mmCIF file with all atom_site columns, all heavy atoms in Angstrom:
data_model
loop_
_atom_site.group_PDB
_atom_site.id
_atom_site.type_symbol
_atom_site.label_atom_id
_atom_site.label_alt_id
_atom_site.label_comp_id
_atom_site.label_asym_id
_atom_site.label_entity_id
_atom_site.label_seq_id
_atom_site.pdbx_PDB_ins_code
_atom_site.Cartn_x
_atom_site.Cartn_y
_atom_site.Cartn_z
_atom_site.occupancy
_atom_site.B_iso_or_equiv
_atom_site.pdbx_formal_charge
_atom_site.auth_seq_id
_atom_site.auth_comp_id
_atom_site.auth_asym_id
_atom_site.auth_atom_id
_atom_site.pdbx_PDB_model_num
ATOM 1   N N   . PRO I 1 82  ? 29.068 109.543 199.934 1.00 95.00 ? 468 PRO I N   1
ATOM 2   C CA  . PRO I 1 82  ? 28.393 109.887 198.691 1.00 95.00 ? 468 PRO I CA  1
ATOM 3   C C   . PRO I 1 82  ? 29.387 110.099 197.565 1.00 95.00 ? 468 PRO I C   1
ATOM 4   O O   . PRO I 1 82  ? 30.591 110.229 197.820 1.00 95.00 ? 468 PRO I O   1
ATOM 5   C CB  . PRO I 1 82  ? 27.684 111.199 199.044 1.00 95.00 ? 468 PRO I CB  1
ATOM 6   C CG  . PRO I 1 82  ? 28.491 111.795 200.151 1.00 95.00 ? 468 PRO I CG  1
ATOM 7   C CD  . PRO I 1 82  ? 29.103 110.647 200.894 1.00 95.00 ? 468 PRO I CD  1
ATOM 8   N N   . HIS I 1 110 ? 31.885 106.406 204.904 1.00 96.00 ? 496 HIS I N   1
ATOM 9   C CA  . HIS I 1 110 ? 31.258 107.624 204.396 1.00 96.00 ? 496 HIS I CA  1
ATOM 10  C C   . HIS I 1 110 ? 32.368 108.608 204.039 1.00 96.00 ? 496 HIS I C   1
ATOM 11  O O   . HIS I 1 110 ? 33.192 108.954 204.881 1.00 96.00 ? 496 HIS I O   1
ATOM 12  C CB  . HIS I 1 110 ? 30.334 108.206 205.470 1.00 96.00 ? 496 HIS I CB  1
ATOM 13  C CG  . HIS I 1 110 ? 29.447 109.308 204.977 1.00 96.00 ? 496 HIS I CG  1
ATOM 14  N ND1 . HIS I 1 110 ? 29.922 110.536 204.631 1.00 96.00 ? 496 HIS I ND1 1
ATOM 15  C CD2 . HIS I 1 110 ? 28.106 109.339 204.757 1.00 96.00 ? 496 HIS I CD2 1
ATOM 16  C CE1 . HIS I 1 110 ? 28.909 111.299 204.222 1.00 96.00 ? 496 HIS I CE1 1
ATOM 17  N NE2 . HIS I 1 110 ? 27.801 110.586 204.290 1.00 96.00 ? 496 HIS I NE2 1
ATOM 18  N N   . MET I 1 112 ? 32.497 111.803 203.505 1.00 95.00 ? 498 MET I N   1
ATOM 19  C CA  . MET I 1 112 ? 32.635 113.055 204.259 1.00 95.00 ? 498 MET I CA  1
ATOM 20  C C   . MET I 1 112 ? 33.097 112.795 205.692 1.00 95.00 ? 498 MET I C   1
ATOM 21  O O   . MET I 1 112 ? 33.783 113.628 206.289 1.00 95.00 ? 498 MET I O   1
ATOM 22  C CB  . MET I 1 112 ? 31.312 113.843 204.261 1.00 95.00 ? 498 MET I CB  1
ATOM 23  C CG  . MET I 1 112 ? 30.803 114.198 202.872 1.00 95.00 ? 498 MET I CG  1
ATOM 24  S SD  . MET I 1 112 ? 32.058 114.929 201.772 1.00 95.00 ? 498 MET I SD  1
ATOM 25  C CE  . MET I 1 112 ? 32.262 116.545 202.511 1.00 95.00 ? 498 MET I CE  1
ATOM 26  N N   . LEU I 1 116 ? 36.243 114.609 207.521 1.00 94.00 ? 502 LEU I N   1
ATOM 27  C CA  . LEU I 1 116 ? 36.246 115.345 208.794 1.00 94.00 ? 502 LEU I CA  1
ATOM 28  C C   . LEU I 1 116 ? 37.137 114.687 209.855 1.00 94.00 ? 502 LEU I C   1
ATOM 29  O O   . LEU I 1 116 ? 37.516 115.335 210.829 1.00 94.00 ? 502 LEU I O   1
ATOM 30  C CB  . LEU I 1 116 ? 34.816 115.615 209.287 1.00 94.00 ? 502 LEU I CB  1
ATOM 31  C CG  . LEU I 1 116 ? 33.885 114.537 209.785 1.00 94.00 ? 502 LEU I CG  1
ATOM 32  C CD1 . LEU I 1 116 ? 34.190 114.226 211.235 1.00 94.00 ? 502 LEU I CD1 1
ATOM 33  C CD2 . LEU I 1 116 ? 32.453 115.029 209.662 1.00 94.00 ? 502 LEU I CD2 1
ATOM 34  N N   . ALA I 1 132 ? 33.020 120.932 212.320 1.00 98.00 ? 518 ALA I N   1
ATOM 35  C CA  . ALA I 1 132 ? 33.804 120.729 211.109 1.00 98.00 ? 518 ALA I CA  1
ATOM 36  C C   . ALA I 1 132 ? 33.189 121.521 209.964 1.00 98.00 ? 518 ALA I C   1
ATOM 37  O O   . ALA I 1 132 ? 31.973 121.492 209.766 1.00 98.00 ? 518 ALA I O   1
ATOM 38  C CB  . ALA I 1 132 ? 33.843 119.242 210.751 1.00 98.00 ? 518 ALA I CB  1
ATOM 39  N N   . LEU I 1 133 ? 34.050 122.247 209.249 1.00 97.00 ? 519 LEU I N   1
ATOM 40  C CA  . LEU I 1 133 ? 33.615 122.885 208.007 1.00 97.00 ? 519 LEU I CA  1
ATOM 41  C C   . LEU I 1 133 ? 34.158 122.025 206.869 1.00 97.00 ? 519 LEU I C   1
ATOM 42  O O   . LEU I 1 133 ? 35.370 121.923 206.680 1.00 97.00 ? 519 LEU I O   1
ATOM 43  C CB  . LEU I 1 133 ? 34.164 124.313 207.900 1.00 97.00 ? 519 LEU I CB  1
ATOM 44  C CG  . LEU I 1 133 ? 33.920 124.985 206.531 1.00 97.00 ? 519 LEU I CG  1
ATOM 45  C CD1 . LEU I 1 133 ? 32.436 125.233 206.288 1.00 97.00 ? 519 LEU I CD1 1
ATOM 46  C CD2 . LEU I 1 133 ? 34.712 126.293 206.411 1.00 97.00 ? 519 LEU I CD2 1
ATOM 47  N N   . LEU I 1 134 ? 33.250 121.387 206.146 1.00 96.00 ? 520 LEU I N   1
ATOM 48  C CA  . LEU I 1 134 ? 33.650 120.541 205.021 1.00 96.00 ? 520 LEU I CA  1
ATOM 49  C C   . LEU I 1 134 ? 33.380 121.298 203.738 1.00 96.00 ? 520 LEU I C   1
ATOM 50  O O   . LEU I 1 134 ? 32.233 121.590 203.416 1.00 96.00 ? 520 LEU I O   1
ATOM 51  C CB  . LEU I 1 134 ? 32.847 119.237 205.024 1.00 96.00 ? 520 LEU I CB  1
ATOM 52  C CG  . LEU I 1 134 ? 32.959 118.362 206.267 1.00 96.00 ? 520 LEU I CG  1
ATOM 53  C CD1 . LEU I 1 134 ? 32.023 117.167 206.166 1.00 96.00 ? 520 LEU I CD1 1
ATOM 54  C CD2 . LEU I 1 134 ? 34.400 117.889 206.433 1.00 96.00 ? 520 LEU I CD2 1
ATOM 55  N N   . VAL I 1 135 ? 34.442 121.629 203.032 1.00 95.00 ? 521 VAL I N   1
ATOM 56  C CA  . VAL I 1 135 ? 34.285 122.395 201.786 1.00 95.00 ? 521 VAL I CA  1
ATOM 57  C C   . VAL I 1 135 ? 35.038 121.712 200.662 1.00 95.00 ? 521 VAL I C   1
ATOM 58  O O   . VAL I 1 135 ? 36.252 121.545 200.716 1.00 95.00 ? 521 VAL I O   1
ATOM 59  C CB  . VAL I 1 135 ? 34.796 123.844 201.909 1.00 95.00 ? 521 VAL I CB  1
ATOM 60  C CG1 . VAL I 1 135 ? 33.682 124.780 202.286 1.00 95.00 ? 521 VAL I CG1 1
ATOM 61  C CG2 . VAL I 1 135 ? 35.968 123.951 202.859 1.00 95.00 ? 521 VAL I CG2 1
ATOM 62  N N   . SER I 1 136 ? 34.288 121.296 199.636 1.00 90.00 ? 522 SER I N   1
ATOM 63  C CA  . SER I 1 136 ? 34.923 120.630 198.506 1.00 90.00 ? 522 SER I CA  1
ATOM 64  C C   . SER I 1 136 ? 34.143 120.974 197.242 1.00 90.00 ? 522 SER I C   1
ATOM 65  O O   . SER I 1 136 ? 33.245 121.815 197.266 1.00 90.00 ? 522 SER I O   1
ATOM 66  C CB  . SER I 1 136 ? 34.919 119.121 198.729 1.00 90.00 ? 522 SER I CB  1
ATOM 67  O OG  . SER I 1 136 ? 33.597 118.632 198.641 1.00 90.00 ? 522 SER I OG  1
ATOM 68  N N   . GLY I 1 138 ? 32.083 119.080 195.829 1.00 87.00 ? 524 GLY I N   1
ATOM 69  C CA  . GLY I 1 138 ? 30.758 118.490 195.892 1.00 87.00 ? 524 GLY I CA  1
ATOM 70  C C   . GLY I 1 138 ? 29.946 118.885 197.113 1.00 87.00 ? 524 GLY I C   1
ATOM 71  O O   . GLY I 1 138 ? 28.740 118.673 197.153 1.00 87.00 ? 524 GLY I O   1
ATOM 72  N N   . HIS I 1 139 ? 30.605 119.436 198.130 1.00 90.00 ? 525 HIS I N   1
ATOM 73  C CA  . HIS I 1 139 ? 29.908 119.686 199.394 1.00 90.00 ? 525 HIS I CA  1
ATOM 74  C C   . HIS I 1 139 ? 30.367 120.976 200.055 1.00 90.00 ? 525 HIS I C   1
ATOM 75  O O   . HIS I 1 139 ? 31.534 121.353 199.957 1.00 90.00 ? 525 HIS I O   1
ATOM 76  C CB  . HIS I 1 139 ? 30.179 118.551 200.398 1.00 90.00 ? 525 HIS I CB  1
ATOM 77  C CG  . HIS I 1 139 ? 29.831 117.215 199.857 1.00 90.00 ? 525 HIS I CG  1
ATOM 78  N ND1 . HIS I 1 139 ? 28.613 116.632 200.047 1.00 90.00 ? 525 HIS I ND1 1
ATOM 79  C CD2 . HIS I 1 139 ? 30.544 116.356 199.092 1.00 90.00 ? 525 HIS I CD2 1
ATOM 80  C CE1 . HIS I 1 139 ? 28.581 115.466 199.415 1.00 90.00 ? 525 HIS I CE1 1
ATOM 81  N NE2 . HIS I 1 139 ? 29.743 115.280 198.840 1.00 90.00 ? 525 HIS I NE2 1
ATOM 82  N N   . THR I 1 140 ? 29.439 121.625 200.741 1.00 96.00 ? 526 THR I N   1
ATOM 83  C CA  . THR I 1 140 ? 29.788 122.686 201.690 1.00 96.00 ? 526 THR I CA  1
ATOM 84  C C   . THR I 1 140 ? 28.884 122.468 202.878 1.00 96.00 ? 526 THR I C   1
ATOM 85  O O   . THR I 1 140 ? 27.665 122.588 202.761 1.00 96.00 ? 526 THR I O   1
ATOM 86  C CB  . THR I 1 140 ? 29.527 124.079 201.083 1.00 96.00 ? 526 THR I CB  1
ATOM 87  O OG1 . THR I 1 140 ? 30.273 124.176 199.876 1.00 96.00 ? 526 THR I OG1 1
ATOM 88  C CG2 . THR I 1 140 ? 29.972 125.164 202.039 1.00 96.00 ? 526 THR I CG2 1
ATOM 89  N N   . MET I 1 141 ? 29.433 122.092 203.998 1.00 96.00 ? 527 MET I N   1
ATOM 90  C CA  . MET I 1 141 ? 28.586 121.896 205.175 1.00 96.00 ? 527 MET I CA  1
ATOM 91  C C   . MET I 1 141 ? 29.332 122.134 206.472 1.00 96.00 ? 527 MET I C   1
ATOM 92  O O   . MET I 1 141 ? 30.553 121.979 206.559 1.00 96.00 ? 527 MET I O   1
ATOM 93  C CB  . MET I 1 141 ? 27.938 120.509 205.184 1.00 96.00 ? 527 MET I CB  1
ATOM 94  C CG  . MET I 1 141 ? 28.871 119.341 205.095 1.00 96.00 ? 527 MET I CG  1
ATOM 95  S SD  . MET I 1 141 ? 28.001 117.760 205.379 1.00 96.00 ? 527 MET I SD  1
ATOM 96  C CE  . MET I 1 141 ? 27.168 117.556 203.820 1.00 96.00 ? 527 MET I CE  1
ATOM 97  N N   . LEU I 1 142 ? 28.558 122.554 207.460 1.00 98.00 ? 528 LEU I N   1
ATOM 98  C CA  . LEU I 1 142 ? 29.061 122.676 208.820 1.00 98.00 ? 528 LEU I CA  1
ATOM 99  C C   . LEU I 1 142 ? 28.453 121.538 209.620 1.00 98.00 ? 528 LEU I C   1
ATOM 100 O O   . LEU I 1 142 ? 27.238 121.332 209.584 1.00 98.00 ? 528 LEU I O   1
ATOM 101 C CB  . LEU I 1 142 ? 28.641 124.021 209.412 1.00 98.00 ? 528 LEU I CB  1
ATOM 102 C CG  . LEU I 1 142 ? 29.531 125.197 209.002 1.00 98.00 ? 528 LEU I CG  1
ATOM 103 C CD1 . LEU I 1 142 ? 28.803 126.518 209.214 1.00 98.00 ? 528 LEU I CD1 1
ATOM 104 C CD2 . LEU I 1 142 ? 30.845 125.190 209.790 1.00 98.00 ? 528 LEU I CD2 1
ATOM 105 N N   . VAL I 1 143 ? 29.300 120.789 210.303 1.00 98.00 ? 529 VAL I N   1
ATOM 106 C CA  . VAL I 1 143 ? 28.825 119.618 211.023 1.00 98.00 ? 529 VAL I CA  1
ATOM 107 C C   . VAL I 1 143 ? 29.239 119.705 212.486 1.00 98.00 ? 529 VAL I C   1
ATOM 108 O O   . VAL I 1 143 ? 30.384 120.043 212.801 1.00 98.00 ? 529 VAL I O   1
ATOM 109 C CB  . VAL I 1 143 ? 29.416 118.314 210.408 1.00 98.00 ? 529 VAL I CB  1
ATOM 110 C CG1 . VAL I 1 143 ? 28.806 117.090 211.074 1.00 98.00 ? 529 VAL I CG1 1
ATOM 111 C CG2 . VAL I 1 143 ? 29.188 118.266 208.907 1.00 98.00 ? 529 VAL I CG2 1
ATOM 112 N N   . ILE I 1 153 ? 24.277 117.848 211.012 1.00 97.00 ? 539 ILE I N   1
ATOM 113 C CA  . ILE I 1 153 ? 24.528 118.906 210.030 1.00 97.00 ? 539 ILE I CA  1
ATOM 114 C C   . ILE I 1 153 ? 23.927 120.204 210.535 1.00 97.00 ? 539 ILE I C   1
ATOM 115 O O   . ILE I 1 153 ? 22.732 120.290 210.808 1.00 97.00 ? 539 ILE I O   1
ATOM 116 C CB  . ILE I 1 153 ? 23.933 118.539 208.651 1.00 97.00 ? 539 ILE I CB  1
ATOM 117 C CG1 . ILE I 1 153 ? 24.620 117.279 208.102 1.00 97.00 ? 539 ILE I CG1 1
ATOM 118 C CG2 . ILE I 1 153 ? 24.108 119.694 207.668 1.00 97.00 ? 539 ILE I CG2 1
ATOM 119 C CD1 . ILE I 1 153 ? 23.995 116.756 206.819 1.00 97.00 ? 539 ILE I CD1 1
ATOM 120 N N   . LEU I 1 154 ? 24.791 121.221 210.698 1.00 97.00 ? 540 LEU I N   1
ATOM 121 C CA  . LEU I 1 154 ? 24.326 122.516 211.206 1.00 97.00 ? 540 LEU I CA  1
ATOM 122 C C   . LEU I 1 154 ? 23.854 123.401 210.062 1.00 97.00 ? 540 LEU I C   1
ATOM 123 O O   . LEU I 1 154 ? 22.981 124.244 210.229 1.00 97.00 ? 540 LEU I O   1
ATOM 124 C CB  . LEU I 1 154 ? 25.462 123.214 211.961 1.00 97.00 ? 540 LEU I CB  1
ATOM 125 C CG  . LEU I 1 154 ? 26.009 122.465 213.173 1.00 97.00 ? 540 LEU I CG  1
ATOM 126 C CD1 . LEU I 1 154 ? 27.314 123.088 213.650 1.00 97.00 ? 540 LEU I CD1 1
ATOM 127 C CD2 . LEU I 1 154 ? 24.971 122.469 214.294 1.00 97.00 ? 540 LEU I CD2 1
ATOM 128 N N   . GLY I 1 155 ? 24.458 123.208 208.913 1.00 97.00 ? 541 GLY I N   1
ATOM 129 C CA  . GLY I 1 155 ? 24.083 124.007 207.751 1.00 97.00 ? 541 GLY I CA  1
ATOM 130 C C   . GLY I 1 155 ? 24.801 123.472 206.533 1.00 97.00 ? 541 GLY I C   1
ATOM 131 O O   . GLY I 1 155 ? 25.842 122.819 206.654 1.00 97.00 ? 541 GLY I O   1
ATOM 132 N N   . GLU I 1 156 ? 24.207 123.699 205.349 1.00 95.00 ? 542 GLU I N   1
ATOM 133 C CA  . GLU I 1 156 ? 24.878 123.248 204.124 1.00 95.00 ? 542 GLU I CA  1
ATOM 134 C C   . GLU I 1 156 ? 24.466 124.117 202.957 1.00 95.00 ? 542 GLU I C   1
ATOM 135 O O   . GLU I 1 156 ? 23.576 124.960 203.082 1.00 95.00 ? 542 GLU I O   1
ATOM 136 C CB  . GLU I 1 156 ? 24.575 121.779 203.855 1.00 95.00 ? 542 GLU I CB  1
ATOM 137 C CG  . GLU I 1 156 ? 23.113 121.448 203.677 1.00 95.00 ? 542 GLU I CG  1
ATOM 138 C CD  . GLU I 1 156 ? 22.873 119.947 203.719 1.00 95.00 ? 542 GLU I CD  1
ATOM 139 O OE1 . GLU I 1 156 ? 23.677 119.201 203.154 1.00 95.00 ? 542 GLU I OE1 1
ATOM 140 O OE2 . GLU I 1 156 ? 21.870 119.528 204.328 1.00 95.00 ? 542 GLU I OE2 1
ATOM 141 N N   . SER I 1 157 ? 25.112 123.909 201.829 1.00 95.00 ? 543 SER I N   1
ATOM 142 C CA  . SER I 1 157 ? 24.823 124.755 200.678 1.00 95.00 ? 543 SER I CA  1
ATOM 143 C C   . SER I 1 157 ? 23.483 124.388 200.073 1.00 95.00 ? 543 SER I C   1
ATOM 144 O O   . SER I 1 157 ? 23.171 123.214 199.895 1.00 95.00 ? 543 SER I O   1
ATOM 145 C CB  . SER I 1 157 ? 25.923 124.635 199.631 1.00 95.00 ? 543 SER I CB  1
ATOM 146 O OG  . SER I 1 157 ? 25.602 125.478 198.553 1.00 95.00 ? 543 SER I OG  1
ATOM 147 N N   . LEU I 1 207 ? 22.757 128.726 209.289 1.00 97.00 ? 593 LEU I N   1
ATOM 148 C CA  . LEU I 1 207 ? 24.109 128.328 208.889 1.00 97.00 ? 593 LEU I CA  1
ATOM 149 C C   . LEU I 1 207 ? 24.158 127.733 207.491 1.00 97.00 ? 593 LEU I C   1
ATOM 150 O O   . LEU I 1 207 ? 25.146 127.105 207.111 1.00 97.00 ? 593 LEU I O   1
ATOM 151 C CB  . LEU I 1 207 ? 24.658 127.328 209.921 1.00 97.00 ? 593 LEU I CB  1
ATOM 152 C CG  . LEU I 1 207 ? 24.863 127.924 211.325 1.00 97.00 ? 593 LEU I CG  1
ATOM 153 C CD1 . LEU I 1 207 ? 25.113 126.833 212.347 1.00 97.00 ? 593 LEU I CD1 1
ATOM 154 C CD2 . LEU I 1 207 ? 26.010 128.925 211.313 1.00 97.00 ? 593 LEU I CD2 1
ATOM 155 N N   . PHE I 1 209 ? 24.321 127.868 203.295 1.00 96.00 ? 595 PHE I N   1
ATOM 156 C CA  . PHE I 1 209 ? 25.101 128.648 202.332 1.00 96.00 ? 595 PHE I CA  1
ATOM 157 C C   . PHE I 1 209 ? 24.393 128.690 200.981 1.00 96.00 ? 595 PHE I C   1
ATOM 158 O O   . PHE I 1 209 ? 23.570 127.831 200.674 1.00 96.00 ? 595 PHE I O   1
ATOM 159 C CB  . PHE I 1 209 ? 26.471 127.998 202.085 1.00 96.00 ? 595 PHE I CB  1
ATOM 160 C CG  . PHE I 1 209 ? 27.286 127.781 203.316 1.00 96.00 ? 595 PHE I CG  1
ATOM 161 C CD1 . PHE I 1 209 ? 27.234 126.568 204.004 1.00 96.00 ? 595 PHE I CD1 1
ATOM 162 C CD2 . PHE I 1 209 ? 28.121 128.781 203.787 1.00 96.00 ? 595 PHE I CD2 1
ATOM 163 C CE1 . PHE I 1 209 ? 27.997 126.353 205.137 1.00 96.00 ? 595 PHE I CE1 1
ATOM 164 C CE2 . PHE I 1 209 ? 28.894 128.572 204.928 1.00 96.00 ? 595 PHE I CE2 1
ATOM 165 C CZ  . PHE I 1 209 ? 28.832 127.355 205.602 1.00 96.00 ? 595 PHE I CZ  1
ATOM 166 N N   . LEU I 1 247 ? 32.255 131.977 204.494 1.00 97.00 ? 633 LEU I N   1
ATOM 167 C CA  . LEU I 1 247 ? 32.553 130.750 205.240 1.00 97.00 ? 633 LEU I CA  1
ATOM 168 C C   . LEU I 1 247 ? 32.985 131.099 206.670 1.00 97.00 ? 633 LEU I C   1
ATOM 169 O O   . LEU I 1 247 ? 32.563 130.455 207.635 1.00 97.00 ? 633 LEU I O   1
ATOM 170 C CB  . LEU I 1 247 ? 33.640 129.939 204.528 1.00 97.00 ? 633 LEU I CB  1
ATOM 171 C CG  . LEU I 1 247 ? 33.245 129.302 203.183 1.00 97.00 ? 633 LEU I CG  1
ATOM 172 C CD1 . LEU I 1 247 ? 34.459 128.726 202.464 1.00 97.00 ? 633 LEU I CD1 1
ATOM 173 C CD2 . LEU I 1 247 ? 32.178 128.220 203.384 1.00 97.00 ? 633 LEU I CD2 1
ATOM 174 N N   . ALA I 1 266 ? 38.166 120.912 206.555 1.00 95.00 ? 652 ALA I N   1
ATOM 175 C CA  . ALA I 1 266 ? 38.530 119.756 205.722 1.00 95.00 ? 652 ALA I CA  1
ATOM 176 C C   . ALA I 1 266 ? 37.849 119.820 204.364 1.00 95.00 ? 652 ALA I C   1
ATOM 177 O O   . ALA I 1 266 ? 36.932 120.612 204.144 1.00 95.00 ? 652 ALA I O   1
ATOM 178 C CB  . ALA I 1 266 ? 38.163 118.455 206.438 1.00 95.00 ? 652 ALA I CB  1
ATOM 179 N N   . ASN I 1 330 ? 23.558 110.274 203.494 1.00 93.00 ? 716 ASN I N   1
ATOM 180 C CA  . ASN I 1 330 ? 23.553 111.411 204.416 1.00 93.00 ? 716 ASN I CA  1
ATOM 181 C C   . ASN I 1 330 ? 24.450 111.085 205.619 1.00 93.00 ? 716 ASN I C   1
ATOM 182 O O   . ASN I 1 330 ? 24.302 110.032 206.236 1.00 93.00 ? 716 ASN I O   1
ATOM 183 C CB  . ASN I 1 330 ? 22.112 111.679 204.873 1.00 93.00 ? 716 ASN I CB  1
ATOM 184 C CG  . ASN I 1 330 ? 22.003 112.883 205.788 1.00 93.00 ? 716 ASN I CG  1
ATOM 185 O OD1 . ASN I 1 330 ? 22.911 113.183 206.563 1.00 93.00 ? 716 ASN I OD1 1
ATOM 186 N ND2 . ASN I 1 330 ? 20.895 113.584 205.697 1.00 93.00 ? 716 ASN I ND2 1
ATOM 187 N N   . ILE I 1 331 ? 25.317 112.019 205.955 1.00 92.00 ? 717 ILE I N   1
ATOM 188 C CA  . ILE I 1 331 ? 26.283 111.747 207.026 1.00 92.00 ? 717 ILE I CA  1
ATOM 189 C C   . ILE I 1 331 ? 25.596 111.544 208.384 1.00 92.00 ? 717 ILE I C   1
ATOM 190 O O   . ILE I 1 331 ? 26.090 110.812 209.243 1.00 92.00 ? 717 ILE I O   1
ATOM 191 C CB  . ILE I 1 331 ? 27.346 112.868 207.102 1.00 92.00 ? 717 ILE I CB  1
ATOM 192 C CG1 . ILE I 1 331 ? 28.561 112.391 207.918 1.00 92.00 ? 717 ILE I CG1 1
ATOM 193 C CG2 . ILE I 1 331 ? 26.776 114.164 207.651 1.00 92.00 ? 717 ILE I CG2 1
ATOM 194 C CD1 . ILE I 1 331 ? 29.773 113.274 207.801 1.00 92.00 ? 717 ILE I CD1 1
#
Side-chain angles (χ1 to χ4, degrees):
Chain I
H496 191 290
M498 301 312 289
L502 69 82
L519 172 67
L520 301 175
V521 266
S522 69
H525 305 267
T526 303
M527 56 171 76
L528 278 160
V529 186
I539 297 174
L540 300 167
E542 60 192 320
S543 181
L593 295 168
F595 304 93
L633 291 170
N716 182 327
I717 197 167

